C-alpha cells in the first residue's frame, strides 16, 4: 500500500495490534452493521466465492481474517471436509463459534486465533484459501500473501474478496461521499468504537485494488490471476492459483 492506515492514529501500537483491538471492540455489532453498510450485497459476493470453489471440490479450506465466520460457514456448501477459520481477534471468533455451533458445523469448521503473516500450518496444507475484506488489514501485505502461497497446495485456489474504488462517473463520486461521510457516521452511531468505521473506509481507499493487486499476486508467484469487479466496482473478487 502507498500509505499505512491504522485504526487509532494516536496509538503507539503497531497496525496488527490496533486491528486486533478494533475488531474486539466492534465484534458484537459487526454483523448487523455490515448488512446495513453494504445493503446486504456482501452476502451475494460471498455466495459467488462459494459457487466458484464448489466447482473445484476442495477437501480443505482455510478462511483467513474469518471474523465472525460468515464466509467459513458459507463454505460448508462446497462439500469440504475441513474448514479452518483463522483470525487475530478473539472477540470476533467468539461470535463466530456461536454461529458455527448454531449451524451444527463444529465437526467441519474449526475457529482458531492466528496471525495471517505467520500461519500455524505446514507447507502445502490447503486445497483452497479465502480472504474476505481482510487483506487490507495485513500489516505487511506481501508477507501475508507469501504465507498464503506457502500453505496453499500446488494447483490450489486462492480467492480474495476486497473493497475497491469505482472508476466511472457517477459511481466514483457517489462511492467517495458514501465511504468518507455516510459509512463512518453509521458506524459511530451503532458501534462503541468511533474510529473503526473511519479506518475501514480509509484503508479501502488506499488499498492497491484491481491490476495493482493482481501484479502483487503475480510477484508472489501466483498464476492464473484475475479480478472480477462487483456491483459497479465497489468490491472485487480476485482468483489465483499456485
Amino acid at each position: 500500500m502507498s500509505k499505512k492506515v491504522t485504526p487509532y492514529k494516536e496509538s503507539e501500537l503497531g497496525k496488527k495490534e490496533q486491528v486486533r483491538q478494533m475488531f474486539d471492540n466492534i465484534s458484537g455489532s459487526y454483523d448487523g452493521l455490515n448488512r446495513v453498510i453494504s445493503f446486504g450485497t456482501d452476502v451475494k459476493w460471498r455466495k459467488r466465492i462459494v459457487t466458484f470453489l464448489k466447482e473445484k471440490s476442495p477437501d480443505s479450506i482455510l478462511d483467513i481474517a474469518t471474523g465472525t465466520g460468515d464466509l467459513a460457514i458459507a463454505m460448508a456448501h462446497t462439500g469440504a471436509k475441513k474448514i479452518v477459520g483463522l483470525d487475530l481477534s478473539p472477540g470476533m471468533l467468539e461470535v463466530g463459534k456461536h454461529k458455527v455451533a448454531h449451524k451444527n458445523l463444529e465437526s467441519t469448521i474449526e475457529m482458531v486465533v492466528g496471525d495471517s503473516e505467520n500461519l500455524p500450518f505446514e507447507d502445502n496444507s490447503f486445497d483452497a484459501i479465502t480472504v474476505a475484506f481482510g487483506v487490507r488489514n495485513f500489516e505487511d501485505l506481501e508477507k501475508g500473501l507469501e504465507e498464503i502461497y506457502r500453505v496453499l497446495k500446488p494447483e490450489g485456489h486462492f480467492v480474495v474478496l476486497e473493497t475497491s474504488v469505482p472508476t466511472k462517473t457517477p459511481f466514483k463520486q457517489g462511492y467517495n461521499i458514501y465511504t468518507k461521510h455516510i459509512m463512518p457516521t453509521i458506524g459511530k452511531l451503532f458501534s462503541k468504537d468511533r474510529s473503526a468505521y473511519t479506518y475501514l473506509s480509509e484503508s479501502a481507499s488506499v488499498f492497491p485494488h484491481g491490476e495493482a493487486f493482481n501484479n502483487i499476486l503475480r510477484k508472489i508467484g501466483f498464476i492464473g490471476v484475475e479480478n472480477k469487479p462487483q456491483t459497479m466496482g465497489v468490491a472485487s473478487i480476485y482468483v489465483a492459483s499456485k
Side-chain angles (χ1 to χ4, degrees):
M1 278 191 229
S2 56
K3 175 185 174 186
K4 181 173 282 190
V5 176
T6 58
Y8 308 112
K9 294 176 174 57
E10 305 303 319
S11 175
E12 295 182 0
L13 295 172
K15 179 175 179 177
K16 192 178 299 180
E17 288 73 21
Q18 290 190 41
V19 167
R20 181 191 293 116
Q21 180 183 343
M22 179 193 75
F23 280 114
D24 279 345
N25 287 344
I26 66 174
S27 58
S29 59
Y30 182 79
D31 282 345
L33 275 171
N34 251 12
R35 297 297 95 81
V36 171
I37 286 172
S38 72
F39 303 105
T41 50
D42 61 308
V43 176
K44 180 169 63 176
W45 298 333
R46 287 185 178 90
K47 285 181 178 177
R48 288 174 181 165
I49 296 176
V50 173
T51 299
F52 172 80
L53 285 181
K54 188 174 183 179
E55 295 176 356
K56 311 300 180 184
S57 303
D59 283 332
S60 57
I61 301 174
L62 171 62
D63 183 41
I64 294 174
T66 195
T68 63
D70 277 349
L71 185 54
I73 290 168
M75 285 295 162
H77 294 290
T78 65
K81 298 181 179 68
K82 174 188 176 185
I83 301 169
V84 177
L86 177 141
D87 202 277
L88 272 176
S89 166
M92 296 285 274
L93 287 172
E94 279 304 308
V95 176
K97 286 175 183 176
H98 287 295
K99 290 160 68 172
V100 169
H102 182 70
K103 299 278 188 179
N104 295 315
L105 290 170
E106 297 102 320
S107 62
T108 303
I109 302 175
E110 179 186 8
M111 306 290 273
V112 300
V113 176
D115 181 355
S116 60
E117 294 163 38
N118 187 23
L119 294 171
F121 308 108
E122 299 293 327
D123 295 358
N124 309 317
S125 292
F126 294 93
D127 296 308
I129 299 177
T130 58
V131 189
F133 304 115
V135 288
R136 75 178 188 273
N137 296 323
F138 289 3
E139 186 161 36
D140 185 328
L141 176 60
E142 290 194 14
K143 185 177 180 182
L145 294 173
E146 286 169 355
E147 274 290 272
I148 289 167
Y149 187 86
R150 178 182 67 79
V151 303
L152 184 64
K153 290 181 181 179
E155 301 183 4
H157 297 278
F158 178 40
V159 187
V160 173
L161 170 60
E162 190 51 87
T163 53
S164 56
V165 179
T167 57
K168 294 182 180 179
T169 301
F171 307 118
K172 180 177 181 179
Q173 290 78 5
Y175 175 86
N176 287 337
I177 292 169
Y178 183 71
T179 56
K180 290 180 181 177
H181 303 289
I182 299 174
M183 190 175 93
T185 300
I186 294 171
K188 288 175 183 177
L189 286 173
F190 295 99
S191 170
K192 65 182 181 181
D193 190 319
R194 298 177 65 84
S195 300
Y197 286 86
T198 299
Y199 161 75
L200 293 173
S201 171
E202 289 178 352
S203 62
S205 70
V206 301
F207 183 76
H209 61 277
E211 193 61 23
F213 187 60
N214 290 346
N215 287 334
I216 295 171
L217 291 172
R218 294 185 185 109
K219 177 184 176 183
I220 300 301
F222 289 100
I223 59 174
V225 178
E226 183 182 359
N227 71 290
K228 306 167 187 286
Q230 305 292 310
T231 316
M232 297 169 291
V234 301
S236 285
I237 293 175
Y238 302 85
V239 297
S241 56
K242 180 174 177 178

